Amino acid sequence: MSYQVTIEPIGTTIEVEEDQTILDAALRQGVWLPFACGHGTCGTCKVQVTDGYYDVGEASPFALMDLEREEHKVLACCCKPESDMTIEADVDADPDFLGYLVQDYQAKVIEVRDLSPTIKGVRLQLDRAMDFQAGQYINVQFPGIEGTRAFSIANAPSELGIIELHIRHVVGGSATTYVHEQLAAGDELEISGPYGQFFVRKSDEQDAIFIAGGSGLSSPQSMILDLLESGDTRTIYLFQGARDVAELYNRELFEKLVKDYPNFRYIPALNAPKEEDGWTGFTGYVHEAVADYFEQRCGGHKAYLCGPPVMIDAAISTLMQSRLFERDIHTERFLSAADGASGQSRSALFKHI
């Protein structure tokens, strides 16, 4: 059984299968509704229901408040139709967004390696090539673990049929514990993708600032590799934040890119280097490194931020104080269910994902 959901103001109608969310059906039919976390914690995919019956699903009370529920607002990533419906959504098409269809894939693990003491690098061989835009992510289903988990793609789209992931171990997290303790080459996984609307605005030729914290390096790595491979001539800056040298993974890759591409700059920052690290680079948090490097004058750039919410918020504040407009800042927050449960929300000063 399926239902027809009409999306206003664009007037497009999609078919939603029983027990399928509105967002999943839309993405698989080429209709890109605004969304970010994909599991009911951030509120980005909030839409207004004007007609029809539905199950609101497992939306966080912080992302969808009681008053909003009474006003027939829902989260497209959680809501499942129980009749034909009409919704109103803020569909904002970006000319740089390619909008590849979400599809299901079988993936074989071809490598699992240590990137840092807390981060594993996982490479997957897909049953067929996935078209994706640098900066997007996939959902992964792990054996015996309920639900899917989202991980950003770290390799360039030119590497056909391959997906690289950087997965940080979250203490108490069943999926990341499985990756770090059990996942091995030869294992097979079910994945779907590509998801997300975090991508380089290539039509805007301003120089690009990438700010990454922890395993949030994955999306910027993909985006930077894609830009450099394509012969893009804008100046590209990567600010990578980590605790110490052991956590500053893929440093050699970016130092090599500096030698190979005259328009690439790499600025790593450690907030708690060990004495034995012999660290002579910037000491402090990554947003502080940005302020120091640009002397609090970041105007005339595009900025792309990826990492945990606390890093994103600090970096946004630094960039805006450094004369960078909100329209030139794009973010990918690594939100978990725990973030939603604790009431974590986006900065009131910043609306775009």
Side-chain angles (χ1 to χ4, degrees), residues 128-205:
R128 63 191 189 283
M130 175 193 290
D131 291 323
F132 69 90
Q133 196 163 359
Q136 292 190 293
Y137 67 88
I138 62 170
N139 280 339
V140 183
Q141 174 71 64
F142 294 104
I145 297 175
E146 184 179 358
T148 60
R149 300 297 188 274
F151 299 103
S152 295
I153 303 170
N155 57 298
S158 61
E159 197 171 6
L160 299 178
I162 298 294
I163 295 293
E164 177 183 333
L165 308 175
H166 300 166
I167 301 178
R168 180 177 66 89
H169 184 221
V170 177
V171 177
S174 57
T176 62
T177 297
Y178 179 89
V179 170
H180 278 251
E181 297 182 359
Q182 299 183 52
L183 191 68
D187 290 351
E188 294 191 355
L189 301 171
E190 295 180 359
I191 73 168
S192 62
Y195 296 96
Q197 293 164 305
F198 185 55
F199 55 91
V200 175
R201 275 61 179 180
K202 292 185 177 181
S203 63
D204 188 323
E205 297 180 353

Coordinates of all heavy atoms in Angstrom, one line a residue, residues 128-205:
R128 N 28.2 -1.4 -7.3 CA 28.2 -0.6 -8.5 C 28.5 0.8 -8.1 O 28.5 1.2 -6.9 CB 26.8 -0.6 -9.2 CG 25.7 0.0 -8.4 CD 24.3 -0.2 -9.0 NE 23.2 0.5 -8.3 CZ 22.7 0.2 -7.2 NH1 23.1 -0.9 -6.5 NH2 21.7 0.9 -6.7
A129 N 28.9 1.7 -9.0 CA 29.4 3.0 -8.7 C 28.2 3.9 -8.1 O 27.1 3.8 -8.6 CB 30.0 3.7 -9.9
M130 N 28.5 4.7 -7.1 CA 27.6 5.6 -6.6 C 27.9 7.0 -7.0 O 29.1 7.5 -6.8 CB 27.6 5.6 -5.1 CG 26.7 6.6 -4.4 SD 26.9 6.9 -2.6 CE 26.3 5.3 -2.0
D131 N 27.0 7.7 -7.7 CA 27.2 9.1 -8.0 C 27.0 9.9 -6.7 O 25.9 9.8 -6.1 CB 26.3 9.6 -9.1 CG 26.6 9.0 -10.4 OD1 27.8 8.8 -10.7 OD2 25.6 8.6 -11.2
F132 N 27.9 10.7 -6.3 CA 27.7 11.6 -5.1 C 28.5 12.9 -5.3 O 29.4 13.0 -6.1 CB 28.2 10.8 -3.8 CG 29.7 10.6 -3.7 CD1 30.5 11.6 -3.1 CD2 30.3 9.4 -4.2 CE1 31.9 11.3 -3.0 CE2 31.6 9.2 -4.1 CZ 32.4 10.2 -3.4
Q133 N 28.1 13.8 -4.5 CA 28.8 15.1 -4.5 C 29.7 15.2 -3.3 O 29.3 14.9 -2.2 CB 27.7 16.2 -4.5 CG 28.2 17.6 -4.9 CD 27.0 18.5 -5.3 OE1 25.9 18.2 -5.2 NE2 27.4 19.8 -5.6
A134 N 30.9 15.7 -3.5 CA 31.8 15.8 -2.4 C 31.2 16.6 -1.3 O 30.7 17.7 -1.5 CB 33.1 16.5 -2.9
G135 N 31.3 16.0 -0.1 CA 30.6 16.6 1.1 C 29.4 15.8 1.6 O 29.0 16.0 2.7
Q136 N 28.9 14.9 0.8 CA 27.7 14.2 1.2 C 28.1 13.0 2.0 O 29.2 12.7 2.3 CB 26.9 13.7 -0.1 CG 26.3 14.9 -0.9 CD 25.4 14.4 -2.0 OE1 25.8 13.8 -2.9 NE2 24.1 14.7 -1.8
Y137 N 27.0 12.3 2.5 CA 27.2 11.1 3.4 C 26.4 9.9 3.0 O 25.5 10.0 2.1 CB 27.0 11.5 4.9 CG 25.5 11.8 5.2 CD1 24.6 10.8 5.6 CD2 25.1 13.1 5.2 CE1 23.3 11.1 6.0 CE2 23.7 13.4 5.5 CZ 22.9 12.4 5.9 OH 21.6 12.7 6.3
I138 N 26.6 8.8 3.6 CA 25.8 7.6 3.4 C 25.3 7.1 4.8 O 25.8 7.5 5.8 CB 26.7 6.4 2.8 CG1 27.8 6.0 3.7 CG2 27.2 6.8 1.4 CD1 28.5 4.7 3.3
N139 N 24.2 6.3 4.7 CA 23.7 5.6 5.9 C 24.2 4.1 5.8 O 24.1 3.5 4.7 CB 22.2 5.6 5.9 CG 21.7 6.9 6.4 OD1 22.4 7.7 7.1 ND2 20.5 7.3 6.1
V140 N 24.6 3.6 6.9 CA 25.2 2.2 7.0 C 24.3 1.4 7.9 O 24.0 1.8 9.0 CB 26.6 2.2 7.4 CG1 27.2 0.8 7.4 CG2 27.5 3.1 6.5
Q141 N 24.0 0.2 7.5 CA 23.3 -0.8 8.4 C 24.4 -1.9 8.8 O 25.0 -2.5 8.0 CB 22.2 -1.5 7.6 CG 21.5 -2.6 8.4 CD 20.7 -2.1 9.6 OE1 19.7 -1.5 9.4 NE2 21.1 -2.5 10.8
F142 N 24.6 -2.0 10.2 CA 25.5 -2.9 10.7 C 24.8 -4.2 11.2 O 23.7 -4.0 11.7 CB 26.4 -2.3 11.8 CG 27.3 -1.2 11.4 CD1 27.0 0.1 11.6 CD2 28.4 -1.5 10.7 CE1 27.8 1.1 11.2 CE2 29.3 -0.5 10.3 CZ 28.9 0.9 10.5
P143 N 25.4 -5.3 11.0 CA 24.7 -6.6 11.4 C 24.3 -6.6 12.9 O 25.2 -6.2 13.8 CB 25.8 -7.7 11.2 CG 26.7 -7.1 10.1 CD 26.7 -5.6 10.4
G144 N 23.1 -6.9 13.2 CA 22.6 -7.0 14.6 C 22.4 -5.7 15.3 O 22.2 -5.7 16.5
I145 N 22.5 -4.6 14.6 CA 22.4 -3.3 15.3 C 21.2 -2.6 14.7 O 21.1 -2.4 13.5 CB 23.6 -2.4 15.1 CG1 24.8 -3.1 15.8 CG2 23.4 -1.0 15.7 CD1 26.1 -2.4 15.6
E146 N 20.2 -2.2 15.5 CA 19.0 -1.6 15.0 C 19.3 -0.2 14.4 O 20.1 0.6 14.9 CB 18.0 -1.5 16.2 CG 16.7 -0.9 15.8 CD 15.7 -0.8 17.0 OE1 16.1 -1.2 18.1 OE2 14.6 -0.3 16.7
G147 N 18.6 0.1 13.3 CA 18.7 1.3 12.7 C 19.9 1.5 11.8 O 20.8 0.6 11.8
T148 N 20.1 2.6 11.2 CA 21.3 2.9 10.4 C 22.1 4.0 11.1 O 21.6 4.8 11.9 CB 20.9 3.4 9.0 OG1 20.1 4.6 9.0 CG2 20.1 2.3 8.3
R149 N 23.3 4.2 10.6 CA 24.2 5.2 11.1 C 24.8 6.0 9.9 O 25.1 5.4 8.9 CB 25.4 4.6 11.9 CG 25.0 3.8 13.1 CD 24.2 4.6 14.2 NE 24.0 3.9 15.4 CZ 23.0 3.1 15.6 NH1 22.1 2.9 14.7 NH2 22.9 2.4 16.8
A150 N 24.9 7.3 10.1 CA 25.3 8.2 9.0 C 26.8 8.5 9.1 O 27.3 8.8 10.2 CB 24.5 9.5 9.0
F151 N 27.6 8.4 8.0 CA 29.0 8.7 8.0 C 29.3 9.4 6.7 O 28.9 9.1 5.6 CB 29.8 7.4 8.1 CG 29.6 6.6 9.3 CD1 28.9 5.5 9.3 CD2 30.2 7.0 10.5 CE1 28.7 4.7 10.4 CE2 30.0 6.3 11.7 CZ 29.2 5.1 11.7
S152 N 30.1 10.5 6.9 CA 30.4 11.3 5.7 C 31.4 10.6 4.8 O 32.3 9.8 5.3 CB 31.0 12.7 6.2 OG 30.1 13.4 6.8
I153 N 31.4 10.8 3.5 CA 32.3 10.2 2.6 C 33.6 11.0 2.5 O 33.5 12.2 2.4 CB 31.6 10.2 1.2 CG1 30.3 9.4 1.2 CG2 32.6 9.5 0.2 CD1 29.5 9.5 0.0
A154 N 34.7 10.3 2.6 CA 36.0 11.0 2.7 C 36.8 11.0 1.4 O 37.7 11.9 1.3 CB 36.9 10.4 3.8
N155 N 36.4 10.2 0.4 CA 37.2 10.2 -0.8 C 36.5 11.0 -1.9 O 35.4 11.5 -1.7 CB 37.3 8.7 -1.3 CG 36.0 8.0 -1.5 OD1 35.2 7.8 -0.6 ND2 35.7 7.7 -2.8
A156 N 37.3 11.3 -2.9 CA 36.7 12.1 -4.0 C 35.8 11.3 -4.9 O 35.9 10.1 -5.0 CB 37.9 12.6 -4.9
P157 N 34.8 12.0 -5.5 CA 33.8 11.3 -6.3 C 34.4 10.6 -7.5 O 33.9 9.6 -8.1 CB 32.9 12.4 -6.8 CG 33.0 13.5 -5.8 CD 34.4 13.4 -5.3
S158 N 35.6 11.0 -7.9 CA 36.3 10.4 -9.1 C 36.8 8.9 -8.8 O 37.0 8.2 -9.7 CB 37.5 11.2 -9.4 OG 38.5 11.2 -8.4
E159 N 36.8 8.5 -7.5 CA 37.2 7.2 -7.2 C 36.0 6.3 -7.3 O 35.3 6.0 -6.3 CB 37.8 7.1 -5.8 CG 38.6 5.9 -5.5 CD 39.4 6.0 -4.2 OE1 39.2 6.9 -3.5 OE2 40.2 5.0 -3.9
L160 N 35.7 5.8 -8.5 CA 34.4 5.1 -8.8 C 34.3 3.8 -8.0 O 35.2 3.0 -8.0 CB 34.3 4.9 -10.3 CG 34.3 6.2 -11.1 CD1 34.2 5.8 -12.6 CD2 33.1 7.1 -10.7
G161 N 33.1 3.6 -7.5 CA 32.8 2.3 -6.8 C 33.4 2.1 -5.4 O 33.3 1.1 -4.8
I162 N 34.1 3.2 -4.9 CA 34.8 3.1 -3.6 C 34.2 4.2 -2.7 O 33.9 5.3 -3.1 CB 36.3 3.3 -3.8 CG1 37.0 2.2 -4.6 CG2 37.0 3.4 -2.4 CD1 36.9 0.9 -4.0
I163 N 34.0 3.8 -1.5 CA 33.6 4.8 -0.4 C 34.5 4.6 0.7 O 34.8 3.5 1.3 CB 32.1 4.5 0.1 CG1 31.1 4.7 -1.1 CG2 31.8 5.4 1.3 CD1 31.0 6.2 -1.5
E164 N 35.1 5.8 1.2 CA 36.0 5.8 2.3 C 35.3 6.5 3.5 O 34.7 7.6 3.3 CB 37.3 6.5 2.0 CG 38.3 6.7 3.1 CD 39.5 7.4 2.8 OE1 39.9 7.4 1.6 OE2 40.1 8.1 3.7
L165 N 35.4 6.0 4.7 CA 34.8 6.6 5.8 C 35.8 6.8 6.9 O 36.7 6.0 7.1 CB 33.6 5.7 6.4 CG 32.6 5.2 5.4 CD1 31.6 4.2 6.0 CD2 31.8 6.4 4.8
H166 N 35.6 7.8 7.8 CA 36.4 8.0 9.0 C 35.5 7.9 10.2 O 34.6 8.7 10.3 CB 37.1 9.4 9.0 CG 38.0 9.6 7.8 ND1 38.4 10.9 7.4 CD2 38.5 8.8 6.9 CE1 39.2 10.8 6.4 NE2 39.3 9.5 6.0
I167 N 35.6 6.9 11.0 CA 34.7 6.6 12.0 C 35.3 6.7 13.4 O 36.2 5.9 13.8 CB 34.0 5.2 11.8 CG1 33.4 5.1 10.4 CG2 33.1 4.8 12.9 CD1 32.8 3.8 10.1
R168 N 34.9 7.6 14.2 CA 35.4 7.8 15.5 C 34.6 6.9 16.5 O 33.4 6.8 16.4 CB 35.2 9.3 16.0 CG 35.7 9.6 17.4 CD 35.6 11.1 17.7 NE 34.2 11.5 17.7 CZ 33.5 11.5 18.8 NH1 34.0 11.0 20.0 NH2 32.2 11.9 18.8
H169 N 35.4 6.4 17.4 CA 34.7 5.5 18.5 C 34.0 6.4 19.5 O 34.6 7.2 20.1 CB 35.8 4.6 19.2 CG 35.2 3.7 20.2 ND1 35.7 3.4 21.4 CD2 34.0 3.0 20.1 CE1 34.9 2.6 22.0 NE2 33.9 2.3 21.3
V170 N 32.7 6.2 19.6 CA 31.9 6.9 20.6 C 31.7 5.9 21.8 O 31.1 4.8 21.6 CB 30.5 7.3 20.0 CG1 29.7 8.0 21.1 CG2 30.7 8.3 18.9
V171 N 32.2 6.2 22.9 CA 32.0 5.3 24.1 C 30.6 5.0 24.3 O 29.7 5.9 24.5 CB 32.7 6.0 25.3 CG1 32.5 5.1 26.6 CG2 34.2 6.2 25.1
G172 N 30.2 3.8 24.4 CA 28.9 3.3 24.6 C 28.0 3.2 23.3 O 26.9 2.8 23.3
G173 N 28.6 3.7 22.2 CA 27.9 3.6 20.9 C 28.1 2.2 20.3 O 29.2 1.7 20.0
S174 N 26.9 1.5 20.1 CA 27.0 0.2 19.6 C 27.6 0.1 18.2 O 28.4 -0.9 17.9 CB 25.6 -0.4 19.6 OG 24.7 0.3 18.8
A175 N 27.2 1.0 17.3 CA 27.7 0.9 15.9 C 29.2 1.2 15.8 O 30.0 0.4 15.2 CB 27.0 1.9 15.0
T176 N 29.7 2.3 16.5 CA 31.1 2.6 16.4 C 32.0 1.6 17.2 O 33.1 1.3 16.8 CB 31.4 4.0 16.9 OG1 31.0 4.1 18.3 CG2 30.6 5.0 16.1
T177 N 31.4 1.0 18.2 CA 32.1 -0.1 18.9 C 32.3 -1.3 18.0 O 33.3 -1.9 18.0 CB 31.4 -0.4 20.2 OG1 31.4 0.7 21.1 CG2 32.1 -1.6 20.9
Y178 N 31.2 -1.6 17.3 CA 31.3 -2.7 16.3 C 32.4 -2.5 15.3 O 33.2 -3.4 15.0 CB 29.9 -2.9 15.7 CG 29.9 -4.0 14.6 CD1 29.6 -5.3 15.0 CD2 30.2 -3.7 13.3 CE1 29.5 -6.3 14.1 CE2 30.2 -4.7 12.4 CZ 29.8 -6.0 12.7 OH 29.8 -7.0 11.8
V179 N 32.4 -1.2 14.8 CA 33.4 -0.9 13.8 C 34.8 -1.1 14.3 O 35.7 -1.7 13.7 CB 33.2 0.5 13.2 CG1 34.4 1.0 12.4 CG2 31.9 0.6 12.4
H180 N 35.1 -0.6 15.5 CA 36.4 -0.5 16.1 C 36.8 -1.9 16.6 O 38.0 -2.2 16.7 CB 36.5 0.5 17.2 CG 36.7 1.9 16.7 ND1 37.9 2.6 16.8 CD2 35.9 2.7 16.0 CE1 37.8 3.8 16.3 NE2 36.6 3.9 15.7
E181 N 35.9 -2.8 17.0 CA 36.2 -4.0 17.6 C 36.0 -5.3 16.8 O 36.6 -6.3 17.0 CB 35.5 -4.2 19.0 CG 35.9 -3.1 20.0 CD 35.2 -3.3 21.3 OE1 34.4 -4.3 21.5 OE2 35.4 -2.5 22.2
Q182 N 35.1 -5.2 15.8 CA 34.7 -6.4 15.0 C 34.8 -6.3 13.5 O 35.1 -7.3 12.9 CB 33.2 -6.8 15.4 CG 33.0 -7.1 16.9 CD 31.6 -7.5 17.1 OE1 31.0 -8.4 16.5 NE2 30.9 -6.9 18.1
L183 N 34.5 -5.1 13.0 CA 34.5 -5.0 11.5 C 35.9 -5.4 10.9 O 36.9 -4.9 11.4 CB 34.1 -3.6 11.1 CG 33.8 -3.3 9.6 CD1 32.5 -4.1 9.2 CD2 33.7 -1.9 9.3
A184 N 35.8 -6.1 9.8 CA 37.1 -6.6 9.2 C 36.9 -6.7 7.7 O 35.8 -6.7 7.2 CB 37.4 -8.0 9.8
A185 N 38.0 -6.7 7.0 CA 38.0 -6.8 5.6 C 37.3 -8.1 5.2 O 37.5 -9.1 5.8 CB 39.5 -6.8 5.0
G186 N 36.5 -8.0 4.1 CA 35.7 -9.1 3.7 C 34.3 -9.1 4.2 O 33.4 -9.8 3.6
D187 N 34.0 -8.3 5.2 CA 32.6 -8.2 5.7 C 31.8 -7.5 4.7 O 32.3 -6.7 3.9 CB 32.6 -7.4 7.0 CG 33.2 -8.2 8.2 OD1 33.4 -9.4 8.0 OD2 33.4 -7.6 9.3
E188 N 30.5 -7.8 4.7 CA 29.5 -7.1 3.8 C 28.5 -6.3 4.5 O 28.0 -6.7 5.6 CB 28.9 -8.1 2.9 CG 29.8 -8.9 1.9 CD 29.1 -9.7 0.9 OE1 27.9 -9.8 0.9 OE2 29.8 -10.2 0.0
L189 N 28.2 -5.1 4.0 CA 27.3 -4.2 4.7 C 26.3 -3.7 3.7 O 26.5 -3.7 2.5 CB 28.1 -3.0 5.2 CG 29.2 -3.3 6.3 CD1 29.9 -2.0 6.5 CD2 28.6 -3.8 7.6
E190 N 25.1 -3.3 4.2 CA 24.1 -2.7 3.4 C 24.2 -1.2 3.6 O 24.2 -0.7 4.8 CB 22.7 -3.2 3.7 CG 22.5 -4.6 3.4 CD 21.1 -5.1 3.8 OE1 20.3 -4.3 4.3 OE2 20.8 -6.3 3.5
I191 N 24.3 -0.4 2.5 CA 24.3 1.1 2.7 C 23.3 1.7 1.7 O 22.8 1.1 0.8 CB 25.7 1.6 2.4 CG1 26.0 1.6 0.9 CG2 26.8 0.9 3.2 CD1 27.3 2.3 0.5
S192 N 23.0 3.0 2.0 CA 22.2 3.8 1.1 C 22.8 5.2 1.0 O 23.5 5.7 1.9 CB 20.8 3.8 1.5 OG 20.6 4.5 2.8
G193 N 22.6 5.9 -0.1 CA 23.1 7.2 -0.3 C 23.0 7.6 -1.7 O 22.5 6.9 -2.6
P194 N 23.5 8.8 -2.1 CA 24.1 9.8 -1.1 C 23.1 10.7 -0.5 O 22.0 11.0 -1.0 CB 25.0 10.6 -2.1 CG 24.2 10.7 -3.4 CD 23.5 9.3 -3.5
Y195 N 23.4 11.1 0.7 CA 22.5 12.1 1.5 C 23.3 13.4 1.7 O 24.5 13.4 1.7 CB 22.1 11.5 2.8 CG 21.3 10.2 2.7 CD1 21.9 9.0 2.8 CD2 19.9 10.3 2.6 CE1 21.1 7.8 2.8 CE2 19.1 9.2 2.6 CZ 19.7 7.9 2.7 OH 19.0 6.8 2.6
G196 N 22.5 14.4 2.1 CA 23.1 15.6 2.6 C 23.2 16.7 1.5 O 23.3 16.5 0.3
Q197 N 23.2 18.0 2.0 CA 23.3 19.2 1.2 C 24.5 20.0 1.6 O 24.4 21.3 1.7 CB 22.0 19.9 1.3 CG 20.8 19.1 0.6 CD 19.5 19.6 0.9 OE1 19.1 19.6 2.1 NE2 18.7 19.9 0.0
F198 N 25.6 19.4 2.0 CA 26.8 20.0 2.3 C 27.7 19.8 1.1 O 28.2 18.7 0.9 CB 27.4 19.4 3.6 CG 28.6 20.1 4.1 CD1 28.6 21.4 4.4 CD2 29.8 19.3 4.4 CE1 29.8 22.0 4.9 CE2 30.9 19.9 4.9 CZ 30.9 21.3 5.2
F199 N 28.0 20.9 0.4 CA 28.8 20.8 -0.8 C 29.4 22.1 -1.1 O 29.0 23.2 -0.6 CB 27.9 20.3 -2.0 CG 26.7 21.2 -2.2 CD1 26.8 22.3 -3.0 CD2 25.5 21.0 -1.5 CE1 25.7 23.1 -3.2 CE2 24.4 21.8 -1.7 CZ 24.5 22.9 -2.5
V200 N 30.4 22.1 -2.0 CA 31.1 23.4 -2.4 C 30.3 24.1 -3.4 O 29.8 23.6 -4.4 CB 32.5 23.0 -3.0 CG1 33.2 24.3 -3.5 CG2 33.4 22.4 -2.0
R201 N 30.1 25.4 -3.1 CA 29.4 26.3 -4.1 C 30.4 26.7 -5.1 O 31.1 27.8 -5.0 CB 28.8 27.5 -3.4 CG 27.4 27.3 -2.8 CD 27.4 26.2 -1.7 NE 26.1 26.1 -1.1 CZ 25.7 25.2 -0.2 NH1 26.7 24.4 0.3 NH2 24.5 25.1 0.3
K202 N 30.6 25.9 -6.1 CA 31.7 26.1 -7.1 C 31.4 27.3 -8.0 O 32.4 27.9 -8.5 CB 31.8 24.8 -8.0 CG 32.4 23.6 -7.2 CD 32.7 22.5 -8.2 CE 33.3 21.3 -7.4 NZ 33.6 20.1 -8.3
S203 N 30.2 27.7 -8.1 CA 29.9 28.9 -9.0 C 30.3 30.2 -8.3 O 30.5 31.2 -9.0 CB 28.4 28.9 -9.3 OG 27.6 29.1 -8.1
D204 N 30.5 30.1 -7.0 CA 31.1 31.3 -6.3 C 32.6 31.1 -6.2 O 33.1 30.2 -5.6 CB 30.5 31.3 -4.9 CG 30.8 32.6 -4.1 OD1 31.9 33.1 -4.3 OD2 30.0 33.1 -3.4
E205 N 33.3 32.0 -6.8 CA 34.7 31.8 -7.0 C 35.6 32.4 -5.9 O 36.8 32.5 -6.0 CB 35.2 32.5 -8.3 CG 34.5 31.8 -9.6 CD 34.9 32.4 -10.9 OE1 35.6 33.4 -10.9 OE2 34.6 31.8 -11.9

